[in-house]
Amino acid sequence: MTSIRVIPCLDIQDGRVVKGIQFRGLRDAGDPVELARFYDAEGADELVFLDITASSDSRAPVIDLAERVAEQVFIPFTVGGGIRDLATIRDVLKAGADKVSLNSAAIANPEFVRQAAEAFGSQCIVGAIDARRSSTGWSVFSHGGRHDTAMDAVDWAKELQAQGAGEILLTSMDADGAQTGYDLELTQKVSNAVSIPVIASGGAGNPAHLIEAVQVGRADAVLVASIVHDGNYRIRDLKKAIVDAGLEIRTLPNS
């Protein structure tokens, strides 16, 4: 059985953590380094930092943020947003990140994923997919959810795996921030289509949603944001619920 990871996601804009609903109505959620330190102490398995306007602004990711986070936390973390070349990946990893998340640049040039995987190892490369339900399935969006590529999300997940991505970060734009549960159908279809780990993202509102993402959606990890940023649940509460459901977790919840 896969050991489930619980991963807080910190969306970054102008150096602050923000959160919205369906990628809109962003509100301030705190300082990224302080939150990273807090979630590390709380027992998070990993962290994800996404600079949500870097690609749309044609701006490089915030390297100094990775450096400051690396000084404060001892768990693996991923940085995404605005990563368009191998030199930037190298800089982000040198700054202390363990993985990079590729989205818009991978869509523009799928070969970039293969080049990155060959240069740094598949374990460092996360293929991020922002998907919105369409009349035929789910459409992939780029540039922080601003551009509809008309690509099918399930097909794109398979292509990311073929190009060498080590895992998929799958975000339902429809469920994002709504706290009504993950898109289980989307998560299941992508999980069934690939053999690499899938991180379910978008929609967590209570511990039952995380359990459903694993048991029904077949996710290997669950991303959480609003429910922990707002203090509705602590990481240990979420992990205890997962264990009580008979699932294995990466690390035991802190007491």
Side-chain angles (χ1 to χ4, degrees), residues 14-45:
D14 300 326
R16 299 286 294 178
V17 178
V18 295
K19 196 69 193 83
I21 297 176
Q22 296 182 341
F23 289 34
R24 302 184 182 94
L26 299 178
R27 54 184 169 79
D28 188 275
D31 177 79
V33 179
E34 289 180 6
L35 280 173
R37 186 167 57 236
F38 174 72
Y39 291 136
D40 185 7
E42 283 276 291
D45 295 299

Side-chain angles (χ1 to χ4, degrees), residues 162-224:
Q163 292 290 349
E167 60 186 342
I168 300 292
L169 171 54
L170 178 65
T171 300
S172 165
M173 295 177 62
D174 302 293
D176 177 70
Q179 300 190 41
T180 54
Y182 298 92
D183 186 329
L184 299 178
E185 185 181 2
L186 168 64
T187 305
Q188 184 186 78
K189 284 185 179 297
V190 170
S191 296
N192 287 340
V194 299
S195 58
I196 56 178
V198 173
I199 306 168
S201 169
N206 59 55
H209 291 154
L210 279 64
I211 295 164
E212 290 173 346
V214 175
Q215 292 182 328
V216 180
R218 302 192 63 192
D220 301 274
V222 284
L223 214 69
V224 293

Side-chain angles (χ1 to χ4, degrees), residues 65-196:
L65 172 62
E67 293 174 339
R68 289 185 288 127
V69 169
E71 292 173 354
Q72 299 291 331
V73 307
F74 302 95
I75 55 177
F77 69 94
T78 300
V79 171
I83 298 175
R84 294 180 290 273
D85 52 53
L86 297 180
T88 303
I89 295 177
R90 184 175 294 108
D91 289 343
V92 171
L93 296 177
K94 280 183 62 178
D98 299 271
K99 309 175 193 178
V100 295
S101 171
L102 304 181
N103 188 335
S104 298
I107 292 169
N109 177 22
E111 183 65 22
F112 176 46
V113 178
R114 180 173 298 281
Q115 293 168 352
E118 290 175 351
F120 305 103
S122 290
Q123 78 283 353
C124 291
I125 309 303
V126 179
I129 300 175
D130 295 333
R132 187 184 294 278
R133 192 177 287 268
S134 68
S135 59
T136 57
W138 292 266
S139 185
V140 176
F141 280 68
S142 66
H143 296 85
R146 293 167 177 81
H147 175 64
D148 185 353
T149 69
M151 295 166 53
D152 178 77
V154 178
D155 290 341
W156 179 231
K158 291 189 285 188
E159 177 65 15
L160 285 169
Q161 174 176 276
Q163 292 290 349
E167 60 186 342
I168 300 292
L169 171 54
L170 178 65
T171 300
S172 165
M173 295 177 62
D174 302 293
D176 177 70
Q179 300 190 41
T180 54
Y182 298 92
D183 186 329
L184 299 178
E185 185 181 2
L186 168 64
T187 305
Q188 184 186 78
K189 284 185 179 297
V190 170
S191 296
N192 287 340
V194 299
S195 58
I196 56 178

